[in-house]
Amino acid sequence: MALSESEARFRSVFENAGVGMVLVDTDGRRQQVNSAFCELVGYRKEELLGQSIIAITHPEDRESTERFLEDYASGRIGSVKKEKRYIHKKGHTVWVLLTVSVVEHLNGNPSLAVVQVQVITERKRAEAALRESETRFRDFAESSSDWLWEMDEHLRITYVSERYREITGFDSSIYLGKTRRDITPEDTNSEKWRQHYG
């Protein structure tokens, strides 16, 4: 009775979870999926059950997924977090964060992997946009006839263009992580400095 109640609770939590949930056997085939996972990849349960997890994996992530399956089947992992991409049924890419927990037999060998699947597509797009923006800035800075620098919110220098070395003959890396106060403390006593930097 207690076992059947426990199984019923697990099925309820599994099916009603707010993230995708998948049970994967040691052959890398899906034994169970919930509605949230079906929704994020665009397939019906009938199309996913018994299917290898490689099948809808993005081509560029298949090799790493195969290595993961080898480690899982051989018992070399117990739990792991992994980012990967799926190809949605409609053809677009879905970035996900997998949280994998391996369930073991009494003999210590893996029997099943419980996989939570969280969509991170928007985060990956934001990261890509930031990288593109940073690349454009670097390209602009390195092609400028002037030397440029960048500071963080604590006024520490995080970037100095290569043009600085070309103009002055000094290595710009000595300034990284320093504030202007560290470099020219006499300037920071001026009224102009206080008004500009607080």
Side-chain angles (χ1 to χ4, degrees):
M1 183 68 175
L3 180 59
S4 62
E5 288 178 358
S6 177
E7 289 175 346
R9 281 197 301 272
F10 173 79
R11 284 194 297 271
S12 177
V13 170
F14 184 92
E15 181 55 41
N16 297 302
V19 297
M21 297 288 291
V22 183
L23 296 184
V24 179
D25 65 20
T26 52
D27 291 325
R29 299 191 177 278
R30 296 185 188 90
Q31 296 303 307
Q32 198 170 341
V33 296
N34 71 351
S35 298
F37 182 76
C38 293
E39 184 177 344
L40 73 89
V41 294
Y43 289 89
R44 291 177 290 109
K45 286 186 181 182
E46 297 76 20
E47 297 174 289
L48 294 168
L49 294 178
Q51 181 191 62
S52 169
I53 64 171
I54 301 292
I56 61 172
T57 295
H58 190 283
E60 293 179 13
D61 292 337
R62 285 180 182 167
E63 186 176 340
S64 65
T65 301
E66 287 170 354
R67 287 196 303 270
F68 159 75
L69 283 177
E70 290 172 5
D71 290 341
Y72 159 45
S74 65
R76 289 194 292 268
I77 61 170
S79 61
V80 67
K81 288 195 175 187
K82 171 182 172 60
E83 291 183 0
K84 69 175 282 185
R85 290 162 286 184
Y86 289 121
I87 301 298
H88 191 277
K89 190 172 184 178
K90 292 183 178 178
H92 59 270
T93 298
V94 181
W95 271 101
V96 296
L97 173 64
L98 306 180
T99 303
V100 183
S101 300
V102 176
V103 179
E104 295 182 348
H105 278 303
L106 292 177
N107 62 14
N109 292 324
S111 61
L112 208 61
V114 181
V115 185
Q116 296 180 42
V117 187
Q118 179 182 357
V119 178
I120 58 170
T121 303
E122 288 306 315
R123 192 196 86 194
K124 299 300 284 190
R125 284 179 183 156
E127 290 172 354
L130 179 60
R131 285 195 300 272
E132 183 179 343
S133 175
E134 289 175 343
T135 299
R136 284 200 303 268
F137 169 77
R138 296 292 188 264
D139 290 345
F140 168 76
E142 297 304 334
S143 63
S144 174
S145 59
D146 296 321
W147 65 276
L148 304 172
W149 72 90
E150 183 179 58
M151 293 186 290
D152 65 14
E153 67 274 17
H154 303 293
L155 302 181
R156 286 189 300 262
I157 296 172
T158 56
Y159 168 79
V160 181
S161 66
E162 181 62 17
R163 187 76 177 132
Y164 175 82
R165 186 188 59 76
E166 295 171 3
I167 293 172
T168 67
F170 294 106
D171 183 1
S172 61
S173 65
I174 63 173
Y175 298 119
L176 297 180
K178 295 182 179 178
T179 66
R180 187 169 170 186
R181 190 184 302 275
D182 297 327
I183 299 165
T184 54
E186 63 278 4
D187 289 351
T188 62
N189 293 322
S190 69
E191 182 61 27
K192 180 180 179 181
W193 170 271
R194 286 192 290 271
Q195 289 177 357
H196 189 68
Y197 293 103

